[in-house]
Amino acid sequence: MQATAIEAFLGLSGQLVWLALLHATWLGLLAAAIVAIAFEARPRRSHRARHDASLVALIVVVLGAPAVAIFQQAVSPRREDETAVSSIQQVWFIAEDQPALAGAIPRQQVDTSSRPQLLEASSMVERAADAAKMAGPFVLACWTVCVLSLAILLAIAMASTRRLRRSSRPADAQVLASMTRLCRLLRLGSPPLVRVHPRISEPCLCGVIRPVILVPRRWLATAAPEAIDAVLAHELAHARRADHVVNLCQRLVEMLLFFHPAIRWLSRSLRRHREFCTDALAVRLTGNPLALARAMESIARLRPVRPTVRPFGASLGCEGSSLYPRIQELIGMMPARPRRRLWPF
């Protein structure tokens, strides 16, 4: 009895996961298309509005897909309804084969002109549903293997970040004094620690429960005080906005929906506009946009082409392709508008 209950529970959970993946596919395409069309229609929208639109689209897909799957499972047709539909179809076939019975059935119940198209559409839907039902277990098994593999890689990345935190050393008194002053201006109740590491290539906010700002020792040795303040303000802005928590949630969503190109596009858009929003908050905090632009430029020069150590967290560089437009915006230049794309339509 217990084995039967466990088997039934596993079958129901597997069916719910399969339905959630199916609904996440069309929901992700719809949400990404709406966001992309909105971006194309209003190219001068603020980075905060674009960031919020991408975040809301991801939340709708992540919460909407399992909700629709549970709703569909709850209101699925019962056995009696299927039997009733089958009996009606049998009556139609009998009425067609026997003209005597066809005269006894009212005309509005037997529409011979539209019935073939309806039956053909119904058979196509049934064939598609049967194909999806047959492919479900195999696709679900492949999805499970891929998700477990990505989860292992994510756990390794988080473990390597913890090792980086343990191998770093505390920052000096000057950096800590700047950190205290900026935290007071930001009204940050629990400020993150600041530590210096010899092997990382760019500053980064790491951790979720107890976040830590890691700063590269090579850059810190040659950086000007205003550049240090600008970088600390940028990372503290990440902490103030809880971007390190959102980044972890993004990684989990990307892990579960790794097969979906629209989800990856939404996630990249969210990360890109997050950095613009953080730059704006850091500039409001320090009042010196040129210092942040110079700090980005100096970090980009010291960063190798292929970084050997990349902490898991919200880094100053984010995507390398976004550094140049961010520097342009900080120094007052108008970034080049991206060319229009036709894929959302």
Side-chain angles (χ1 to χ4, degrees), residues 59-127:
I59 292 175
V60 167
V61 175
V62 172
L63 299 182
V68 175
I70 293 173
F71 178 78
Q72 179 181 353
Q73 190 70 19
V75 299
S76 57
R78 296 184 178 181
R79 192 72 178 177
E80 293 80 9
D81 298 336
E82 296 177 355
T83 305
V85 172
S86 177
S87 61
I88 291 175
Q89 291 178 351
Q90 290 178 1
V91 169
W92 280 351
F93 282 114
I94 293 174
E96 183 180 10
D97 294 336
Q98 300 182 12
L101 291 179
I105 300 176
R107 176 173 291 273
Q108 60 269 21
Q109 295 184 9
V110 181
D111 190 357
T112 58
S113 61
S114 61
R115 188 176 59 82
Q117 289 81 5
L118 292 176
L119 290 178
E120 183 178 359
S122 176
S123 63
M124 290 178 60
V125 172
E126 290 179 358
R127 287 197 298 269

Side-chain angles (χ1 to χ4, degrees), residues 179 182 186 188 192-194 202-206 211-216 228-244 275 278-279 281-282 285 292 299 313-318 326:
M179 181 75 172
L182 293 172
L186 260 181
L188 202 59
L193 299 175
V194 184
E202 57 186 326
C204 181
L205 178 69
C206 304
V212 174
I213 297 177
L214 295 179
V215 182
I228 296 175
D229 288 349
V231 168
L232 290 178
H234 180 91
E235 299 304 329
L236 285 176
H238 276 305
R240 185 71 175 83
R241 291 166 41 86
D243 287 335
H244 53 297
E275 294 301 322
T278 310
D279 290 342
L281 182 55
L285 187 62
L292 183 56
I299 290 173
S315 61
L316 179 72
C318 185
R326 286 167 61 192

